[in-house]
Amino acid sequence: MSQSILKVGIIGQGRSGRDIHGATLSKLPDNYQIAAVADSLPERRKRAEQEFGCRAYATWQEMVASETLDLVVNASPSHEHVPISLELLNRGVNVLCEKPLARTSAEVDQLIEASERTGNILAVFQQSRYMPAYVRIREVIESGVLGRIVQLDFTSSRFARRWDWQTLQQNNGGSLLNLGSHVLDQALQLFGNDIMPEVTCIMDQANTYGDAEDYVKLLLRGEGRPSVDMEVSSCSLFPGDQFVIQGTNGGLRGNGERLEWRYFKPEEAPAQQLITEPLVDRNGLPAYCRETLVWHEDKWELSLPDGKDEYRYMAEQLYFMLHRAIEGGDKLEITPQQVRQQLAVIEACRQQNPHIYKQNTEPVRG
């Protein structure tokens, strides 16, 4: 059975709309056709017409009114994500919204309500769920070889100064909503989406030229859940491993290109029991607990087909998933309800850092 080619309209032709979504969709002709784009800059519209062979409009309203579209990609500036996505859903359009989906959990509730009321899909571009290293990490954890997971360390740190619009609070800028949304999304899937974690957060403005944060240290805790130690920093000249996982039977470390993990098998370990008397060695001298464990080791290295880069691969996997949802009725693998938990955590982080976030922003009214 042949599959339908979905007609797509893209709002915005900037770093996201052109360089990510346009570039990805143009490589998936069996699934998608870029029918139209909308951008306020004439030079961007002209370039899109040449590169994608599509029609171009000055406003997204004109595009949606003039085209019959199966999907609209909302790659507008971050602070416009909620009002535009809300109006698109109310107009009966399926929406894929760039991250951050919103600024607050209340805004996500509005979007979910509109999606459920209209029956239109609301998807979120959290493509790092499909990072090959992260997928492998989930497989290792689910295999049980590391035992019970005690702590997850997730890091997205570098040394970089930034001075563009995404450093401004009024534009929904800041490292946690932007870079951190990918890391937090990954961590929360392993923590669990069914409860709200306890949040402890420290924010700072280190190398940003705007008024939003660019250093975040975030701790998440919950009964029966692994502790999460997350860092997003723009002043880390010597960053460590991107992923470090501690388990009762072993651990894992690595980054997007390579991973390694070691573990022992409980059935191969010496039998032990609690001893309350002072420990001594064979000579009767004071001693520490010592045992010899047999360690098993495994490794993984990134290998993608056809020379694809990791970022394009992740975007393609998300678009394949979305095609299955729109065309075949499959459930979304990344849901707005999951992203709502992410925004609730970020709200708690802001509340704990009033030196940066002095007041809350009211949700957009639909």
Side-chain angles (χ1 to χ4, degrees):
M1 180 181 297
S2 61
Q3 60 185 6
S4 297
I5 298 175
L6 303 179
K7 292 185 177 181
V8 184
I10 305 175
I11 300 174
Q13 281 294 285
R15 294 186 303 236
S16 175
R18 173 185 179 267
D19 298 348
I20 299 175
H21 297 282
T24 300
L25 289 165
S26 64
K27 298 295 192 298
L28 303 176
D30 293 335
N31 300 87
Y32 295 95
Q33 175 196 351
I34 301 176
V37 303
D39 197 287
S40 61
L41 299 179
E43 61 271 22
R44 289 185 175 183
R45 297 198 296 273
K46 181 178 180 180
R47 185 176 60 198
E49 291 172 337
Q50 295 172 343
E51 291 181 338
F52 304 137
C54 65
R55 291 169 291 280
Y57 300 86
T59 69
W60 69 264
Q61 292 93 336
E62 185 182 5
M63 179 183 73
V64 172
S66 303
E67 301 283 342
T68 301
L69 301 170
D70 300 300
L71 173 70
V72 170
V73 176
N74 184 0
S76 63
S78 299
H79 60 286
E80 297 181 4
H81 286 177
V82 171
I84 292 177
S85 294
L86 193 58
E87 188 168 346
L88 287 169
L89 290 168
N90 286 330
R91 290 189 181 202
V93 179
N94 294 318
V95 178
L96 171 63
C97 185
E98 253 291 354
K99 59 81 191 166
L101 174 61
R103 181 180 175 85
T104 67
S105 58
E107 290 178 341
V108 181
D109 288 338
Q110 290 181 292
L111 293 169
I112 291 173
E113 186 279 330
S115 174
E116 293 177 345
R117 173 170 42 80
T118 62
N120 295 106
I121 288 174
L122 170 63
V124 190
F125 196 65
Q126 297 275 183
Q127 76 277 18
S128 289
R129 289 273 192 99
Y130 300 100
M131 176 189 289
Y134 177 69
V135 172
R136 189 69 183 103
I137 286 171
R138 296 191 70 166
E139 292 171 350
V140 173
I141 290 175
E142 290 168 5
S143 75
V145 297
L146 301 182
R148 179 175 63 84
I149 303 304
V150 178
Q151 179 168 313
L152 307 165
D153 292 7
F154 278 46
T155 303
S156 179
S157 296
R158 60 190 58 77
F159 193 96
R161 303 196 303 169
R162 191 167 183 178
W163 53 90
D164 65 345
W165 63 271
Q166 285 186 316
T167 66
L168 295 172
Q169 293 185 33
Q170 67 182 24
N171 292 333
N172 284 1
S175 292
L176 191 50
L177 268 179
N178 289 277
L179 292 174
S181 64
H182 292 300
V183 188
L184 183 54
D185 179 76
Q186 290 176 337
L188 285 173
Q189 305 319 301
L190 299 176
F191 178 89
N193 294 122
D194 56 320
I195 65 169
M196 178 66 181
E198 298 175 39
V199 177
T200 303
C201 181
I202 300 170
M203 288 180 171
D204 197 356
Q205 294 171 306
N207 285 329
T208 178
Y209 282 75
D211 63 351
E213 84 290 342
D214 66 340
Y215 170 87
V216 180
K217 172 62 73 170
L218 175 58
L219 301 177
L220 304 177
R221 294 174 296 171
E223 184 177 354
R225 309 301 170 102
S227 298
V228 175
D229 184 329
M230 179 180 140
E231 179 183 287
V232 182
S233 174
S234 69
C235 56
S236 179
L237 192 56
F238 304 105
D241 289 316
Q242 184 177 358
F243 305 108
V244 177
I245 297 177
Q246 303 177 36
T248 54
N249 293 350
L252 177 150
R253 69 175 183 177
N255 54 39
E257 295 185 352
R258 55 186 57 87
L259 302 169
E260 62 176 327
W261 57 100
R262 299 176 63 195
Y263 58 93
F264 76 89
K265 297 180 180 180
E267 64 270 20
E268 297 176 350
Q272 302 292 0
Q273 63 182 8
L274 179 66
I275 298 176
T276 58
E277 297 82 9
L279 293 178
V280 296
D281 62 16
R282 66 181 62 184
N283 298 316
L285 299 176
Y288 290 97
C289 295
R290 288 188 173 89
E291 65 179 350
T292 299
L293 296 174
V294 177
W295 291 100
H296 300 264
E297 299 183 7
D298 212 338
K299 295 182 179 180
W300 171 91
E301 290 191 0
L302 178 65
S303 178
L304 296 175
D306 305 323
K308 291 181 181 178
D309 66 83
E310 180 189 42
Y311 204 91
R312 185 65 50 78
Y313 172 83
M314 294 188 294
E316 287 183 356
Q317 296 308 303
L318 188 144
Y319 269 111
F320 287 145
M321 178 274 293
L322 185 53
H323 189 280
R324 294 191 295 269
I326 295 175
E327 175 67 11
D330 290 8
K331 291 184 178 180
L332 290 173
E333 295 173 3
I334 303 166
T335 68
Q337 287 80 6
Q338 293 167 349
V339 178
R340 185 193 188 282
Q341 182 196 33
Q342 177 193 133
L343 269 297
V345 169
I346 292 175
E347 285 182 275
C349 292
R350 294 196 200 103
Q351 292 169 3
Q352 294 178 20
N353 290 272
H355 61 291
I356 296 178
Y357 289 95
K358 297 177 176 60
Q359 58 186 359
N360 294 325
T361 301
E362 289 296 321
V364 175
R365 301 299 176 186

